[in-house]
Amino acid sequence: MNGKSLSENAKALLLSICLLVALLGTWELSTPAVKSAGELTEYELLTGGGGQQARVPPPSQVFNKAYDELSRPFYDNGPNDKGIGIQLAYSLYRVLTGFFLAALIAIPIGFLIGMSPVAYKALDPFIQVLRPISPLAWMPLALFIIQDSQASAIFVIFICSIWPMLINTAFGVANVRKDFVNVAKTHELGPLKTALLVILPAAAPTILTGMRISIGIAWLVIVAAEMLVGGTGIGYYVWNEWNNLDLTSVIFSILMIGLVGMMLDTAFAYVQRAVKYQE
Amino acid sequence: MLKPFIEITGLTKRFPAQKGGEQLTVFENANFSIKKGEFVCIIGHSGCGKSTIMNILAGLDTPTEGGIIMGGKEISGPSLDRGVVFQNYSLLPWLSALKNVIFGVSARYPDWSRSKVIEHSQKYLEMVGLTGGAEHRKPAQLSGGMRQRVSIARAFAIRPKLLLLDEPFGALDALTRGTIQDELTRIWSGSEQTVFMITHDVDEAILLSDRILLMTNGPHARVAESVVVDIPRPRDRAEIIHKPAYYKIRNHLVEFLARRSKQLSGDRDHGGSPPITVRPGIDDADDKERRPENRPKLVSVAS
Ligand SMILES: Nc1ncnc2c1ncn2[C@@H]1O[C@H](COP(=O)(O)OP(=O)(O)O)[C@@H](O)[C@H]1O
Ligand SMILES: [Mg+2]
């Protein structure tokens, strides 16, 4: 195949690979290796981190770390030494629990607000004040009231994911085309059937947009929340490795956070595509 | 005498004043009736209130004054007895053509089994000529004509007593329009349904309807005349144009739309009298005399 017949996607992929190689190459070369990469890695493995050297580890080291960690993701050697899979699972559990609890409340209330201008006007001031609050600002209050760090982290996720879903649901519902509502009316559908058969599917793309924004924010916030509450989770892991001065693990977990975040987003993008419709 | 199927009495619609304006009286004290099984078209310039009348008939809008009685009962909201074909088809875009019809059928017959609902829906889609896989496509993947067929199939499939159509063929090309017009006539003549249809196409009105209601321009519009289409059925679009009655009716309609709809507009002293019945298709001296009766007086009112 010659260069001319390459599709746009193939070209983009090629360019992505070039960029990656250039980036990693620069990074690798700019980190002065005292010893050869192989020796260094073995040394790293033995000491459990290259923290003593005040320098950023090269990518080769990070890859080795990644290979090592990903080949046994679920090991559990006590509170401070768990596999990356376990840590991510804790974080995902908190994010998904907080997120779905928020959806459970945000979507029905969003429906109500979207359907009733009075409810919208009544609730709007509360939303406007509560929405800009950093979710982490709730943490001390949550810890005090709930008295449980695990539940507090979930609460923080709950509170940060609720707003985009609430606002998008209300917007989507309020902007359902009047024609669709008229179709429901002329077919004598009751309020519940109208909501489920007409308004929900009509507003679903907008609601899903809100959910996708929410899950993104939740994944951003969980890292910070876990750094605060400690114990388990990917946020705690990053902070713990930093305390261990194991920068290789820090970089590895940063990459993992990115990958899992992308997977969450992709999953929601998939659902979003499934409920999307063309007018 | 038998009571008419639909009786519209003293129907008035006013929209509240906008900022800085005064309230808008779309039409006032309209009185007319429709017989069972009749195919009635209503013609008038845009903005005279045709859609408003239809929405009130559908139960989607309420009149400011007056009311409509259908089959002995006052219309007080939407009902499955009245099927509506909206101007923009109003299909649910996330459902396939078939599922759009199923949506209507299962609302109408909640006790039916799923297979019976599907079978019934498919029958009506076949009636409007939508088969061969097209019924599984979403509205966005259908042409305007196909969407309109689905919309008509959905309305007919619930077997309403009254079918309301708001400029159903306005957006279609002439060829498609002709085909669907024929299908509409065919389905209607095989049923006992009453049809009330808005159109702006004079030829379409003559081809399809038993009677054509003419509205004057708004605001304060009114149904001024009721033109009987004295052309026997079945009517063929190619043959109908050779009938003398066709041109007499057509000229009458065109003349009304071009001149009298404007001259008569703003007449607020009609006292709610029902529309004058006109039969241009019949050479009847009485009718001819009755028709121009109002003209001189109203010309002076308008100017
Ligand atoms: N919701 C509304 N509020 C104010 N005015 C309206 C509203 N709906 C329709 N109108 C006005 O009523 C008149 C009649 O409208 P419509 O029934 O749609 O006319 P037509 O269908 O004959 O073209 C128009 O002048 C239109 O601007
Ligand atoms: Mg209209």
Side-chain angles (χ1 to χ4, degrees), chain A residues 179-180 183 185 187-188 198 201, chain B residues 60 78-80 88 90 93-94 104:
Chain A
D179 299 327
F180 301 157
V183 168
K185 281 187 187 159
H187 288 88
E188 289 188 48
V198 176
Chain B
L60 294 169
S79 154
L80 284 159
N88 53 11
S90 287
W94 55 89

Side-chain angles (χ1 to χ4, degrees), chain A residues 80-121:
Chain A
N80 276 331
D81 191 11
K82 291 189 201 321
I84 187 84
I86 292 184
Q87 304 289 22
L88 284 170
Y90 271 113
S91 300
L92 276 174
Y93 160 73
R94 291 185 186 121
V95 162
L96 293 178
T97 311
F99 173 83
F100 281 110
L101 284 176
L104 224 57
I105 294 192
I107 294 173
I109 295 184
F111 242 83
L112 185 77
I113 298 176
M115 300 259 244
S116 144
V118 177
Y120 175 79
K121 284 190 180 134

Side-chain angles (χ1 to χ4, degrees), chain B:
Chain B
M1 204 185 107
L2 213 71
K3 272 219 159 231
F5 178 50
I6 297 165
E7 252 190 305
I8 287 136
T9 338
L11 204 70
T12 302
K13 182 70 188 181
R14 290 183 233 280
F15 285 110
Q18 304 287 318
K19 240 181 271 170
E22 48 186 295
Q23 75 167 0
L24 173 73
T25 302
V26 182
F27 48 82
E28 203 170 24
N29 203 1
N31 295 283
F32 61 95
S33 54
I34 299 171
K35 288 195 285 272
K36 191 158 181 60
E38 215 179 1
F39 197 128
V40 175
C41 276
I42 187 159
I43 297 190
H45 285 286
S46 107
C48 68
K50 305 180 294 292
S51 295
T52 307
I53 290 186
M54 210 195 78
N55 282 337
I56 297 172
L57 269 165
L60 294 169
D61 203 349
T62 48
T64 316
E65 285 156 37
I68 302 175
I69 289 171
M70 176 171 134
K73 264 185 288 177
E74 173 110 38
I75 287 179
S76 63
S79 154
L80 284 159
D81 282 342
R82 281 164 269 134
V84 190
V85 175
F86 295 95
Q87 190 165 6
N88 53 11
Y89 322 137
S90 287
L91 297 172
L92 303 177
W94 55 89
L95 297 178
S96 69
L98 177 61
K99 290 212 169 116
N100 263 287
V101 181
I102 289 176
F103 176 92
V105 175
S106 43
R108 173 65 156 165
Y109 305 103
D111 306 331
W112 281 11
S113 72
R114 187 77 186 159
S115 59
K116 192 169 179 192
V117 167
I118 294 173
E119 197 188 320
H120 184 84
S121 308
Q122 249 154 359
K123 191 179 102 190
Y124 276 85
L125 278 172
E126 270 164 39
M127 247 186 231
V128 295
L130 210 87
T131 45
E135 71 269 33
H136 297 298
R137 281 194 247 152
K138 302 256 169 80
Q141 285 127 31
L142 298 173
S143 69
M146 286 161 123
R147 281 185 228 178
Q148 191 55 283
R149 285 162 202 246
V150 179
S151 180
I152 289 171
R154 181 177 65 185
F156 267 100
I158 63 169
R159 296 195 277 215
K161 290 185 185 132
L162 172 66
L163 194 70
L164 300 162
L165 303 122
D166 192 349
E167 299 194 23
F169 311 124
L172 304 182
D173 61 278
L175 212 64
T176 316
R177 192 185 309 167
T179 320
I180 306 183
Q181 280 168 352
D182 291 344
E183 267 150 14
L184 177 63
T185 319
R186 197 165 41 78
I187 303 173
W188 165 75
S189 55
S191 71
E192 310 211 307
Q193 278 149 339
T194 309
V195 178
F196 183 80
M197 172 167 147
I198 299 174
T199 178
H200 55 245
D201 183 338
V202 169
D203 298 292
E204 175 175 274
I206 302 172
L207 179 71
L208 297 177
S209 53
D210 297 321
R211 202 149 59 84
I212 301 168
L213 299 174
L214 295 175
M215 275 185 93
T216 62
N217 294 358
H220 294 280
R222 68 191 188 97
V223 181
E225 288 185 12
S226 158
V227 179
V228 179
V229 182
D230 289 300
I231 300 176
R233 291 179 193 270
R235 298 172 191 157
D236 182 286
R237 72 179 62 252
E239 280 166 24
I240 193 174
I241 53 172
H242 299 302
K243 298 202 194 290
Y246 182 82
Y247 281 101
K248 287 184 187 153
I249 297 168
R250 193 176 193 283
N251 288 344
H252 183 86
L253 299 180
V254 170
E255 202 259 346
F256 180 91
L257 287 175
R259 259 220 309 273
R260 278 183 303 127
S261 63
K262 201 157 115 209
Q263 290 170 354
L264 293 168
S265 86
D267 166 29
R268 294 165 71 171
D269 310 320
H270 53 83
S273 56
I276 313 155
T277 299
V278 191
R279 310 188 76 140
I282 286 181
D283 284 308
D284 187 325
D286 286 353
D287 279 317
K288 268 192 184 152
E289 259 170 40
R290 245 195 289 153
R291 194 168 14 122
E293 175 187 39
N294 279 324
R295 277 198 237 174
K297 183 183 105 200
L298 290 162
V299 170
S300 62
V301 166
S303 56

